[in-house]
Amino acid sequence: MTGTALTPVLSEHWDREDLYTLDGYRAVGGYGALRKALAMEPDALVDLVKASGLRGRGGAGFPTGMKWGFLPKDNPNPRYLVVNADESEPGTCKDIPLMMANPHALVEGVIISAYAIRSSHAFIYVRGEVLHVIRRLRRAVEEAREAGLIGTDILGSGFDLDVVVHAGAGAYICGEETALLDSLEGYRGQPRLKPPFPAVAGLYASPTVVNNVESIASVPPIVANGAEWFTSMGTEKSAGFGFFSLSGHVTRPGQYEAPLGVTLRELLDMAGGIRAGHRLKFWTPGGSSTPIFTEEHLDTPLDFESVGAAGSMLGTRALQIFDETTCVVRAVGRWIAFYAHESCGKCTPCREGNFWMVQVLDRLENGEGTEADVEKLLDICDNLLGRSFCALGDGAASPVMSSIKYFRDEYIRHMEERGCPFDHSESTVWGGSK
Amino acid sequence: MSEGFDDATRARLEVDAKEVIARYPKSRSALLPLLHLVQAEEGYVSRAGIGFCADVLGLTAAEVTAVATFYTMYKRRPMGEYHVGVCTNTLCAVMGGDEIFAALKEHLGVGNDETTEDGKVTLEHLECNAACDFAPVMMVNWEFFDNQTPESAKRLVDDLRLGNDVAPTRGAGPVCTWKQASRVLAGFSDGRAGEGPQAAGPSLEGLKLARERGWTAPAPGAAGPAPTEGGDR
């Protein structure tokens, strides 16, 4: 069979038991890219990352090198590098296994990236609910410090760097980069008005780069192998590889590292297909904040442009797969309960809109709704999308609007049957083999 | 002062707090870790804990409370020795998280965010914890317990209540207490980073398949129409 092959780079050595130690990482060539980078001019590294076409792997897809290039040259304040390791978007489960198995890949990326942007202070903001990942990251930073890879005059280069692993405390909104910065400064995690962007006034109002874990971890292989190597994978505008995280009703859920532009059909083939005896109903291309897709999108190339053209977003490549046993109204209702819970309360459309959508969706799921309720949901979404302070509100509109677009009939069925027509036990792991 | 820590506790925590604050360019950045620290002391963020954070950072109790109440990991009431979380966000809920949570509520005789009478287990439903390929997922004191069922979940909480050792699927086993976990979150190592596997199950599916089929990323230099040795250096 022809088609796309997997390209394990960040996950290439995850089956090595001691990979999370400095010795294990070095045994597979770890920190070789750092030596190469420190022999280069920082600006040359920025140019290299620009040339690679690496786009942010945290969901928005902004070109990483361009983000670095936005730092003002004449600002006298210290520069900061902040890694967004607050992975919390429903369905997204790539950064956590990466940091668990290979924390030094991130640490090496941090050192190189900090050198490139001339920052001597980096923070890794990791969500608090992943205790063991925090242990592994801290240990990796300690080991790197003991080996002279973090600290003063790193490998005789004259470059100094301190790295702090900072544990969050449970707030999805802190994945939004300016909310993350507020949280890191010791405040409630609420987003800031942009501009100014973090590149100009970020942490402590200083020039700051905020990058996702996978983006930063992709820097060492780019340095080691070159921009051409990176662009030889993926598509013209969506270069390189990335994790595609399959979850839900698939035979072999898991992490599949592939070139951008791979399709769900190809990935499902690799993952053994939809679980036996069932068929695909709907899926998210990049987490719950990206409009859902159906089987008509099986051949949509999973790159930024193609997914966008098909009406959704590549997001974090969090492919949550649901088969025909799943009630879409229940699925959407649960996501909206999540957005309502996680709304920071700063802006009215998101705080109130999600609160009310939970009520309406509950009513619909229980068969007590009317068609006017469906219109009400769309009306609320109209007030959320583009009118919220940050992307959290926009994200909440995605599952609601897209589910009504593709499955309006199913909303109606709940009204006609005065209740949910699905047997939820059939969608469970243990209930699916009937 | 009547609601504060006793002098010995305070003196001990001040040493820890100094270490935490020293990690940051500005002291207020230490507030989240310090809240984890006082939670490690009492199992929750009490008025004494709020007051302590305010004192060492030069903030008001109101400023600290505003932050403590924003984040779900800070608990304002005494907690059980084990915080047992069940993911009921959409994907885990659909895969069986709802059934697991219902089974545990009945089995333990507690509701959401309630603690068993023996003080051992606090049950809570969770939002997505970034382990969707292991659904349905549970967390005990923020360690991963992957691929759960109602039966395995009941056995798990029974073992916790009986004091039997319980090991996470991916993490340090036996699982530590809530207070110990909070101390790690505050930034104090428990020396257990080397425990547990580097990766497991679904995390390795893609790599396994790539190895079976001989798939790799392109070799450096083999890329592009006219690769030049060291062209990117």
Side-chain angles (χ1 to χ4, degrees), chain A residues 192-247:
Chain A
R192 301 174 179 175
L193 192 64
K194 294 189 275 194
F197 288 91
V200 175
L203 187 65
Y204 313 126
S206 282
T208 301
V209 165
V210 185
N211 284 142
N212 167 259
V213 169
E214 193 185 352
S215 312
I216 292 290
S218 297
V219 171
I222 290 172
V223 170
N225 302 322
E228 275 182 32
W229 168 80
F230 194 73
T231 57
S232 75
M233 292 171 270
T235 68
E236 191 191 338
K237 289 182 176 168
S238 297
F241 52 83
F243 283 106
F244 291 82
S245 310
L246 273 82
S247 62

Side-chain angles (χ1 to χ4, degrees), chain A residues 1 4-9 11-20 36 40 48 80 87-94 96-97 100-101 121 123 125 127-136 138-139 142 162 164-171 173-174 182-190 203-204 224-229 232-233 246-249 252-257 269-271 320-322 326 330-332 334-335 337-338 341-342 344 424-425 427-430, chain B residues 22-33 36 59 63 65-74 88-91 93-100 127-136 139-144 147-151 170-172 176-177 180-199 201-211 213 215-228 231-233:
Chain A
M1 167 188 232
T4 310
L6 294 174
T7 49
V9 176
S11 63
E12 189 184 357
H13 303 289
W14 281 9
D15 53 357
R16 190 186 163 104
E17 283 182 14
D18 64 348
L19 183 62
Y20 60 85
K36 187 172 170 185
M40 294 168 66
L48 173 66
Y80 295 104
E87 182 167 67
S88 310
E89 167 77 8
T92 310
C93 49
K94 61 187 180 69
I96 293 302
M100 180 94 89
H121 214 137
F123 294 88
Y125 185 107
R127 66 179 302 181
E129 304 99 320
V130 289
L131 190 65
H132 206 52
V133 169
I134 292 166
R135 286 194 187 103
R136 289 258 163 99
R138 288 225 173 94
R139 181 66 197 130
E142 268 173 41
D162 190 21
V164 174
V165 177
H166 181 90
I173 185 64
C174 292
D182 261 32
S183 180
L184 184 51
E185 290 184 7
Y187 294 87
R188 297 164 77 99
Q190 292 190 317
L203 187 65
Y204 313 126
N225 302 322
E228 275 182 32
W229 168 80
S232 75
M233 292 171 270
L246 273 82
S247 62
H249 294 136
R252 287 187 295 278
Q255 304 303 319
Y256 295 81
E257 205 177 355
D269 273 348
M270 297 175 195
Q320 304 174 87
I321 312 292
F322 299 95
T326 313
R330 175 194 183 206
V332 172
R334 196 59 64 90
W335 276 324
F338 162 78
H341 180 255
E342 300 297 335
C344 78
H424 293 175
S425 68
S427 69
T428 61
V429 170
W430 48 89
Chain B
R23 293 182 200 136
Y24 298 94
K26 297 201 177 181
S27 65
R28 179 153 181 166
S29 282
L31 181 51
L32 265 64
H36 286 303
L59 301 170
E63 286 170 320
T65 306
V67 173
T69 53
F70 183 83
Y71 297 93
T72 52
M73 288 176 74
Y74 301 129
T88 58
N89 198 302
T90 298
L91 190 115
V94 163
M95 301 300 283
D98 276 1
E99 283 77 1
I100 291 170
E127 298 300 354
C128 185
N129 224 77
C132 315
D133 43 351
F134 293 89
M139 308 293 294
V140 176
N141 294 341
W142 305 120
E143 293 270 27
F144 287 108
N147 298 117
Q148 295 295 303
T149 66
E151 290 69 37
R170 293 173 292 146
C176 66
T177 67
Q180 288 167 338
S182 298
R183 193 167 166 84
V184 173
L185 294 172
F188 295 93
S189 171
D190 61 1
R192 303 184 70 181
E195 297 181 30
Q198 82 290 358
S203 303
L204 295 169
E205 285 293 352
L207 180 60
K208 209 166 75 184
L209 184 72
R211 292 222 195 285
R213 300 199 180 169
W215 287 341
T216 59
T228 48
D232 292 304
R233 286 170 201 185

Side-chain angles (χ1 to χ4, degrees), chain A residues 352-374:
Chain A
E352 298 298 319
N354 281 302
F355 173 84
W356 287 107
M357 286 206 294
V358 169
Q359 322 293 315
V360 176
L361 280 159
D362 274 355
R363 204 153 66 210
L364 285 164
E365 191 187 346
N366 295 327
E368 295 154 3
T370 65
E371 286 204 60
D373 282 330
V374 177

Side-chain angles (χ1 to χ4, degrees), chain B residues 4-208:
Chain B
F5 293 126
D6 62 61
D7 289 347
T9 306
R10 192 183 171 86
R12 177 165 47 79
L13 289 179
E14 276 174 352
V15 174
D16 290 341
K18 206 172 164 185
E19 188 182 326
V20 173
I21 293 167
R23 293 182 200 136
Y24 298 94
K26 297 201 177 181
S27 65
R28 179 153 181 166
S29 282
L31 181 51
L32 265 64
L34 288 180
L35 285 165
H36 286 303
L37 179 70
V38 295
Q39 181 150 283
E41 191 63 30
E42 296 185 285
Y44 70 111
V45 179
S46 67
R47 288 176 71 105
I50 297 267
F52 176 81
C53 292
D55 284 352
V56 295
L57 294 177
L59 301 170
T60 66
E63 286 170 320
V64 175
T65 306
V67 173
T69 53
F70 183 83
Y71 297 93
T72 52
M73 288 176 74
Y74 301 129
K75 304 302 180 189
R76 301 306 313 280
R77 286 179 291 163
M79 292 285 288
E81 200 172 334
Y82 298 99
H83 173 259
V84 173
V86 182
C87 178
T88 58
N89 198 302
T90 298
L91 190 115
C92 274
V94 163
M95 301 300 283
D98 276 1
E99 283 77 1
I100 291 170
F101 188 58
L104 286 183
K105 279 196 287 192
E106 195 198 342
H107 188 67
L108 294 170
V110 298
N112 184 45
D113 205 16
E114 290 178 4
T115 303
T116 53
E117 276 179 17
D118 59 7
K120 288 284 188 188
V121 169
T122 302
L123 182 66
E124 188 179 23
H125 72 80
L126 304 178
E127 298 300 354
C128 185
N129 224 77
C132 315
D133 43 351
F134 293 89
V137 173
M138 287 176 61
M139 308 293 294
V140 176
N141 294 341
W142 305 120
E143 293 270 27
F144 287 108
F145 287 75
D146 304 317
N147 298 117
Q148 295 295 303
T149 66
E151 290 69 37
S152 68
K154 283 189 273 190
R155 273 200 307 276
L156 170 60
V157 293
D158 285 348
D159 281 338
L160 290 172
R161 297 180 77 185
L162 289 167
N164 297 333
D165 283 353
V166 167
T169 334
R170 293 173 292 146
V175 69
C176 66
T177 67
W178 172 252
K179 289 182 184 177
Q180 288 167 338
S182 298
R183 193 167 166 84
V184 173
L185 294 172
F188 295 93
S189 171
D190 61 1
R192 303 184 70 181
E195 297 181 30
Q198 82 290 358
S203 303
L204 295 169
E205 285 293 352
L207 180 60
K208 209 166 75 184

